[in-house]
Amino acid sequence: MGKVTGFMEIDRQVMKYQPASDRIRHFREFTIPMSDAEVTKQAARCMDCGIPYCHGPTGCPVHNQIPDWNDLVYNNKWEEAIRNLHSTNNFPEFTGRVCPAPCEEACTLNLEDAPVAIKTIEQAIADKAYELGLVGPQPATEKTGKKVAIIGSGPAGMAAAQQLGRAGHDVHVYERETKPGGLLRYGIPDFKLEKNFIDRRVEQMKGEGVTFHCGVNVGVDMPVEQLLAEHDAVLYCGGSETPRAAGIPGVDLQGVYDAMPYLVQQNRRVGRENIDSVGWPAEPILAGAKHVVVVGGGDTASDCVGTAFRQGAVKVTQLDIRPQPPEKEDKLAVWPFWATKMRTSSSQAEGAVREFQVATLEFVGEDGHLTGVRCCEVDERRQPIAGTDFIIKADLAFIAIGFSGPLKDGVLSEMDGKLELNVDRRGSTNVVANDRDYKTSVDKFWVAGDVRRGQSLVVWAIREGRQAARAIDEALMGSSVLPR
């Protein structure tokens, strides 16, 4: 696996960032790619660890064969490396940019806090493959005569569409927005994932026979029953977009918004689209010259922080009800699983003020406009501590505390009580299906991604899309050569 003694001789290096003072002036990606020679050296660090926890089940959800392609990169076999990587992951250029890399947490070298730079190497392989012209359409040699509809073109829908198209099925993808990509395009900021990477994958899939129908809100513009009648199988891959209810007084003040409308609106601006879109507020939400408060401690909250800085916010404060985690985890108690420890995202490193173990009590304002956020410290049970109240000045506040499931309008509203679709009613609207065949209670109807498992990572969506494609292919043809 790479160079036998590489992990002892070579220090861990990852891609560097542009200085914060430079990168907040634009919405483009700000990572500085490594040279091929540097990537090769990092691949050489992959050790012969016996049991490579990095590629599953604790590490990589799609079971990337990480030691194998590290060895191929070390030996400058880029074409074989991308072929190996594509065998488990349809879109490594996405995961190489936005995945939090649980594989690196599971790396044996993480016991010494110096895991192999797996995410950096994965992105380098994907980018090198395009540079060398190794990525192109792979259309099926024979058509099956079967027709499949996919609702939603996020990572789950795109992965399923590509797999089913390559299996020879006539695949039609229906997307509510004006361009494909789902939350990849409209939820993730361009400074983390530029959208040309999505565009070129869409072109590849079109060359494989996949047809995209954008601007079609299934359940509103087109009934689900029509899709079921016209197709041999329908796969629903909606994203988790319904904000979790915060229950904070003052949410109706001007200046208080859920996080997703803010991110979607800015992504549409960068993509030179109208900020008007289905289900999102039409008034411009801008942070320029404002004091901004972000409620929540996850990735969506971090994306709001980075977006606000790029729009010219004066100050950004992020509130997290959880206690500040330790700087370092207990390796022997946690490894190879994801550890709770202090992590600072690139957006937070751009100057955010982070408040831990703080509850948001109320949004306060004057004449209907937000002026501040009233907070207090909490104990280990997240109960307010008397006498610790304080107010943070705020002209703009975003609530980013997670999502409870897909939007109820559209597919779910049509099917609820009409087609007897089983939906989890325990605090979410996720559709009930197992992770073996992804089949729902409705004939010819499958689900995958966030709509089934709840809000999750892009890499989990790709896994579910691939596995659902295998299940559909098997159901339609009696057997399948698609990988699971």
Side-chain angles (χ1 to χ4, degrees), residues 314-331:
V314 173
K315 182 180 180 181
V316 180
T317 305
Q318 186 176 357
L319 307 179
D320 195 332
I321 198 169
R322 300 170 296 183
Q324 182 169 336
E327 289 293 330
K328 185 176 178 180
E329 74 274 30
D330 181 349
K331 299 289 186 183

Side-chain angles (χ1 to χ4, degrees), residues 18-28 30 310 350:
Q18 292 176 2
S21 57
D22 293 338
R23 67 182 189 246
I24 63 171
R25 300 174 186 275
H26 61 79
F27 280 88
R28 300 184 303 278
F30 51 79
R310 283 159 179 76
E350 289 162 1

Side-chain angles (χ1 to χ4, degrees), residues 425-445:
R425 309 285 181 178
R426 297 171 298 176
S428 78
T429 52
N430 297 332
V431 180
V432 176
N434 63 51
D435 62 356
R436 295 181 302 279
D437 61 16
Y438 294 86
K439 190 81 170 63
T440 71
S441 54
V442 175
D443 187 41
K444 300 198 314 184
F445 196 74

